[in-house]
Amino acid sequence: MSILYDAQAAAFTLHTQNTTYQMQVARTGHLLHLYYGRRTGGDCLDYQYVPMDAGFSPNAYELRYQRTASVDLQPQEYSSENTGDFRLSALEVTLGNGAFGTDLRYKSHAILPGKYRVEGMPAAFAGDGEAETLIITLEDAASHLQVELLYGVFSGKDIITRAARLRNAGTGTITLQKAASMVLDLPFGHWDLLHFHGRHCMERMPQRMPLIRGIQTVASRRGASSHHHNPFVILCDHRCDENHGDCIGLMLVYSGNHRTDVEVDQMSSTRVVMGIHDEQFNWTLAPGEVFHTPEVLLTFSHRGLTALSHTYHRFLRQNIIRSRWNTRQRPVLINNWEATYFNFTAEKILQLAEQAAALGVEMLVLDDGWFGQRNDDNAGLGDWYVNTKKLPGGLDPLIEKINALGMKFGIWVEPEMVSEDSDLYRAHPEWALTVPDRKPVMSRNQLVLDMADPAVIEYLYTQFSALLREHHIEYVKWDMNRNMADVYSHSLPAARQGEVFHRYILGVYGLLERLTSEFPDVLFEGCAGGGGRYDAGMMYYFPQIWCSDDTDAIERMTIQHGTSFGYPISTVGAHVSASPNHQTGRTTPLGTRALVAMAGTFGYELDLGKLTDGEKEQIKEQIQRFHRYYDLIQNGDYYRLTDPQEQSYFNAWEFAAPDGSRALLNLVVTHARANPNGVHFRLKGLDLDALYAVGELHCDGCEVALEERSERLISGSSLMYAGYTLPLMRGDYPCVQMLFVRR
Ligand code: GLA
């Protein structure tokens, strides 16, 4: 039993292997949050909260004479405005009579086997006996709005999921102005906020800052989880680092507008509120109706950030990603985008496939430009029929030839968008999100389809299910290349326009649910101009996501480093591209580009016709090597050995087999220096008492000889505590990859 209810103390205790979460129903019926942290014996922690009467912090009516327990001072489990808790609220509503706020009190609870579901949205799933559910129902007596707080306890995984279900059990219509997924009050401790900001071509840059009094916000109002603020934050104790200390992760399973506020109040208590962004959000809840918030994946680690990342990596792979491809070996691919952009013919694509097949590449992905009048990015989106000028005879002759080379065929689509210059827009201008009588804001000269309109979803389902049914397509790259403005649905009445952002993403999820269930063997890769929708919601449908449009290996190290805090390596779409790089103009060795792309799903995206014979031989070897290391990279534990944002002259990361039998060290020198020290690193995740040998060593741009290094046996403890030093490496961006094998 991981969920315990102590009737005498009216306390709920949720235990996982290493953590405890506790709540209590106060005498007033308010649901208090008592604790989240390292596992305790489970005794009630209410003694931590001393009664106090602080000026200007009001009391519930029942406590007007005692004045000892203000909702403004006590840690709350789900807060509401206009009730005397002046901190951030999770819920903001207007009742039928115009009144703001709800006074939520305990009504009932249920403890159930298995994991609750979140209707219409991605959420964690559980294997047999893996999870238990707690539902605590709170009710506002005035409106009969019921809030069901849902807790999914995955005791063996150290994850607690949270979501809320809002039910209008009254007779009047209620308007939700804000409906967050959860609140977490941390009355004690001093925390840093670690979040992941960015921009197009520079996603998920970690930023860590001490919390200050007041409110700090991480949010997106772009209609997508965004390149700019990932819906994932970590609160770290000041002393927490990769290997030590307390940290709490909060990951939203949602791909639309999101908001995380962290407030430090008058008493130094910290409150986190996470959920759907409340701007341009307004949801009408008629009597009997239910609103589901997205889910949050919560975890706590007392062993620092690496352990927290490992918890998320395992959980996403085992309890979020459903695709059959999650555990299958993904094909090494060649994508034609940076090889040809829009300028291709069937012969050119076939030639690329032939060149790639000869090197051992297993799949060709035909990117943007194969459909409609899509000769540049000004036209054609929405017209999902083959451009026969480029591909005479359609897709099938090309697919057959590619299959005959022993390769799979994959294709790029961007279903959620429409070009003004397209047959679809000419036929259905009302299917685009546009404000009546206003010229729409353009981005990449395209408009966003109204995914809140069931007619649009039906049309897209018909188009894309036919595409997948009629052609032998084994992979789909699902792109989404602009953020939203002019968010107005021509299919909804005026009073419902505040629902469009959320209904949009529900429409996307519904469509993905149908297509991924109907075509379970198709490998779907998510994309939004690179990693603009790199979130756990998308991973429910897509086992991999194109990590960034920045394919420069040196920049990618920072992007992939930031991504790794929450998301598993098996989800990271990563390719070797041309040098000089198309985004930065930087020149890097081919070996370094491959090393960085190997911290992901691995593929190529360049004109193979321009390579020398020597480079082609290198690629053959890289693909064979990736196959040999596949299991270690995809299923091993990932360790960040350096922080690329620090001013060091090299970056290093490692994959270690969970049983300590093998470890793969990856290292890139980022800054050539005269007369430097050797390059020193410490390995992680090894078997302390075992002896290791260097089984394989690969380098590009350096002169580290294998022979000298392979004979010596070194103990796991020496490699982990004392470390390992490589000799001087010269020039621009040399790299080393070393396989340590237990003897
Ligand atoms: C986006 C993707 C790229 C490529 C282009 C095609 O930017 O992230 O990989 O597919 O679209 O237009």
Side-chain angles (χ1 to χ4, degrees):
M1 285 289 279
S2 49
I3 301 174
L4 304 167
Y5 177 62
D6 173 350
Q8 210 178 348
F12 300 94
T13 303
L14 282 43
H15 283 305
T16 72
Q17 219 171 346
N18 297 294
T19 74
T20 295
Y21 190 106
Q22 200 173 63
M23 295 162 273
Q24 186 180 41
V25 181
R27 271 181 299 146
T28 52
H30 291 109
L31 185 62
L32 307 180
H33 175 81
L34 296 186
Y35 178 71
Y36 184 41
R38 193 165 175 177
R39 187 170 170 136
T40 68
D43 39 335
C44 184
L45 295 164
D46 54 357
Y47 65 87
Q48 300 247 70
Y49 302 97
V50 287
M52 63 190 289
D53 179 14
F56 293 88
S57 285
N59 294 279
Y61 190 77
E62 308 89 293
L63 298 177
R64 62 196 181 281
Y65 294 111
Q66 291 94 327
R67 303 184 192 174
T68 50
S70 168
V71 281
D72 193 34
L73 301 172
Q74 291 175 314
Q76 304 290 329
E77 195 56 22
Y78 198 74
S79 54
S80 178
E81 102 273 41
N82 210 14
T83 56
D85 179 352
F86 298 111
R87 297 166 292 177
L88 289 164
S89 46
L91 185 63
E92 293 180 10
V93 307
T94 318
L95 308 185
N97 60 7
F100 291 107
T102 47
D103 184 7
L104 297 172
R105 309 284 179 115
Y106 172 84
K107 181 175 159 61
S108 62
H109 75 268
I111 298 173
L112 307 166
K115 163 77 190 346
Y116 64 85
R117 293 173 65 100
V118 180
E119 223 165 273
M121 264 185 285
F125 53 85
D128 274 354
E130 205 188 9
E132 277 183 64
T133 290
L134 168 65
I135 305 177
I136 304 179
T137 305
L138 311 175
E139 190 173 88
D140 172 45
S143 63
H144 298 289
L145 176 67
Q146 292 178 354
V147 176
E148 291 172 12
L149 297 177
L150 306 169
Y151 301 82
V153 183
F154 290 76
S155 54
K157 302 265 171 84
D158 279 332
I159 291 274
I160 294 175
T161 66
R162 285 194 59 180
R165 221 156 36 199
L166 312 177
R167 186 186 305 279
N168 184 350
T171 50
T173 294
I174 293 171
T175 312
L176 306 175
Q177 262 116 21
K178 178 178 182 181
S181 300
M182 58 155 284
V183 173
L184 182 66
D185 273 355
L186 302 163
F188 310 112
H190 296 283
W191 301 92
D192 293 346
L193 174 65
L194 174 57
H195 69 107
F196 303 89
H197 69 94
R199 59 178 187 270
H200 179 228
C201 285
M202 195 37 87
E203 298 88 335
R204 292 170 298 286
M205 298 291 105
Q207 182 171 47
R208 180 171 172 168
M209 54 191 191
L211 289 176
I212 52 166
R213 297 296 171 118
I215 300 168
Q216 286 119 96
T217 302
V218 171
S220 164
R221 288 166 300 177
R222 294 169 170 270
S225 51
S226 87
H227 305 81
H228 306 75
H229 283 292
N230 199 261
F232 169 51
V233 300
I234 304 173
L235 293 185
C236 320
D237 179 87
H238 285 335
R239 288 154 300 189
C240 170
D241 61 22
E242 285 284 5
N243 308 310
H244 317 93
D246 290 356
C247 48
I248 299 173
L250 300 98
M251 181 182 284
L252 190 65
V253 187
Y254 192 60
S255 314
N257 285 352
H258 60 89
R259 173 171 189 159
T260 302
D261 290 304
V262 189
E263 177 175 18
V264 182
D265 75 359
Q266 54 175 338
M267 300 298 180
S268 299
S269 178
T270 299
R271 169 171 289 180
V272 190
V273 179
M274 185 178 236
I276 295 176
H277 204 298
D278 53 328
E279 216 172 284
Q280 262 180 269
F281 174 83
N282 206 301
W283 195 277
T284 306
L285 205 60
E289 284 184 349
V290 177
F291 180 83
H292 301 258
T293 74
E295 179 165 282
V296 175
L297 313 178
L298 262 180
T299 191
F300 169 87
S301 156
H302 66 274
R303 293 181 297 121
L305 293 162
T306 301
L308 179 133
S309 296
H310 288 175
T311 299
Y312 276 123
H313 291 182
R314 288 200 191 107
F315 192 76
L316 290 171
R317 293 208 59 194
Q318 293 168 10
N319 300 88
I320 289 284
I321 303 172
R322 298 179 305 168
S323 166
R324 290 180 183 172
W325 282 98
N326 189 28
T327 50
R328 283 188 194 161
Q329 182 148 343
R330 325 275 169 86
V332 173
L333 64 82
I334 174 87
N335 179 306
N336 75 305
W337 179 241
E338 288 198 18
T340 66
Y341 295 103
F342 291 105
N343 184 19
F344 62 82
T345 58
E347 293 83 68
K348 207 161 168 180
I349 296 298
L350 192 60
Q351 199 185 24
L352 187 64
E354 283 164 354
Q355 289 160 340
L359 305 181
V361 174
E362 297 152 309
M363 178 164 75
L364 179 126
V365 174
L366 180 58
D367 211 279
D368 196 353
W370 60 269
F371 52 89
Q373 299 310 309
R374 186 75 169 163
N375 299 316
D376 58 29
D377 59 11
N378 289 304
L381 289 173
D383 297 342
W384 298 107
Y385 51 83
V386 181
N387 180 324
T388 44
K389 271 202 199 117
K390 286 187 192 173
L391 306 177
L395 285 172
D396 290 339
L398 179 65
I399 298 177
E400 279 158 23
K401 286 179 196 140
I402 287 171
N403 289 164
L405 294 168
M407 290 175 100
K408 296 181 192 305
F409 175 82
I411 206 160
W412 178 97
V413 295
E414 194 179 357
E416 300 159 60
M417 299 289 151
V418 65
S419 304
E420 218 179 2
D421 183 2
S422 68
D423 294 343
L424 182 65
Y425 185 76
R426 282 182 281 272
H428 286 289
E430 79 286 4
W431 279 3
L433 294 174
T434 51
V435 173
D437 306 319
R438 190 188 289 164
K439 283 277 176 233
V441 174
M442 303 305 282
S443 182
R444 213 189 187 200
N445 204 2
Q446 64 196 52
L447 294 167
V448 185
L449 283 176
D450 178 6
M451 302 296 280
D453 182 348
V456 173
I457 300 294
E458 233 15 75
Y459 172 81
L460 294 175
Y461 169 75
T462 308
Q463 294 292 308
F464 291 101
S465 58
L467 182 73
L468 295 179
R469 215 174 288 126
E470 288 163 16
H471 308 286
H472 189 220
I473 293 171
E474 298 183 77
Y475 159 109
V476 170
K477 177 174 170 189
W478 183 294
D479 212 338
M480 190 266 190
N481 274 317
R482 68 160 285 183
N483 289 145
M484 299 176 204
D486 304 293
V487 175
Y488 181 94
S489 169
H490 298 271
S491 68
L492 287 170
R496 296 253 174 199
Q497 292 301 323
E499 301 179 10
V500 181
F501 265 124
H502 183 53
R503 286 191 186 277
Y504 178 99
I505 211 73
L506 292 180
V508 173
Y509 288 151
L511 180 58
L512 288 175
E513 182 69 39
R514 284 164 84 180
L515 291 172
T516 55
S517 322
E518 196 171 328
F519 303 97
D521 288 313
V522 171
L523 169 56
F524 282 85
E525 176 157 344
C527 180
R533 246 182 359 193
Y534 208 108
D535 57 68
M538 281 294 146
M539 285 173 199
Y540 190 71
Y541 308 99
F542 303 145
Q544 60 192 59
I545 298 179
W546 181 228
C547 185
S548 178
D549 273 349
D550 185 350
T551 62
D552 176 294
I554 305 309
E555 300 248 285
R556 267 293 184 124
M557 283 190 282
T558 314
I559 297 169
Q560 293 177 189
H561 170 89
T563 304
S564 79
F565 280 86
Y567 305 106
I569 301 308
S570 64
T571 63
V572 176
H575 300 166
V576 174
S577 63
S579 178
N581 176 268
H582 290 191
Q583 290 80 43
T584 61
R586 191 192 328 253
T587 304
T588 45
L590 181 55
T592 301
R593 282 176 271 150
L595 186 86
V596 174
M598 278 190 204
T601 56
F602 199 59
Y604 292 83
E605 188 167 334
L606 73 172
D607 186 350
L608 298 172
K610 293 194 176 139
L611 298 181
T612 64
D613 289 346
E615 287 172 321
K616 287 184 183 156
E617 286 309 309
Q618 251 183 296
I619 290 182
K620 274 190 204 165
E621 186 280 325
Q622 288 166 355
I623 293 172
Q624 288 164 10
R625 186 169 9 131
F626 181 67
H627 283 155
R628 278 202 305 285
Y629 296 163
Y630 188 87
D631 181 49
L632 189 53
I633 290 172
Q634 302 294 308
N635 302 317
D637 291 331
Y638 177 80
Y639 290 95
R640 298 173 287 266
L641 300 186
T642 56
D643 178 353
Q645 288 180 320
E646 278 175 9
Q647 289 301 310
S648 169
Y649 67 104
F650 70 94
N651 291 333
W653 61 97
E654 179 197 334
F655 303 96
D659 67 358
S661 57
R662 295 191 305 160
L664 186 66
L665 177 274
N666 303 271
L667 190 146
V668 177
V669 174
T670 48
H671 191 124
R673 283 180 162 173
N675 194 22
N677 249 339
V679 179
H680 180 261
F681 55 86
R682 290 197 186 108
L683 289 177
K684 291 186 178 177
L686 300 184
D687 185 342
L688 287 174
D689 301 323
L691 290 173
Y692 289 82
V694 177
E696 287 186 36
L697 186 148
H698 305 273
C699 54
D700 196 342
C702 60
E703 296 110 37
V704 187
L706 173 62
E707 305 76 55
E708 295 163 24
R709 306 227 145 228
S710 60
E711 282 148 27
R712 189 148 172 181
L713 294 180
I714 308 174
S715 67
S717 52
S718 294
L719 288 168
M720 285 179 58
Y721 300 156
Y724 197 91
T725 310
L726 290 169
L728 165 74
M729 286 184 250
R730 291 163 57 83
D732 277 338
Y733 314 113
C735 71
V736 177
Q737 193 172 48
M738 293 171 87
L739 183 69
F740 290 85
V741 184
R742 186 170 61 193
R743 281 291 159 82

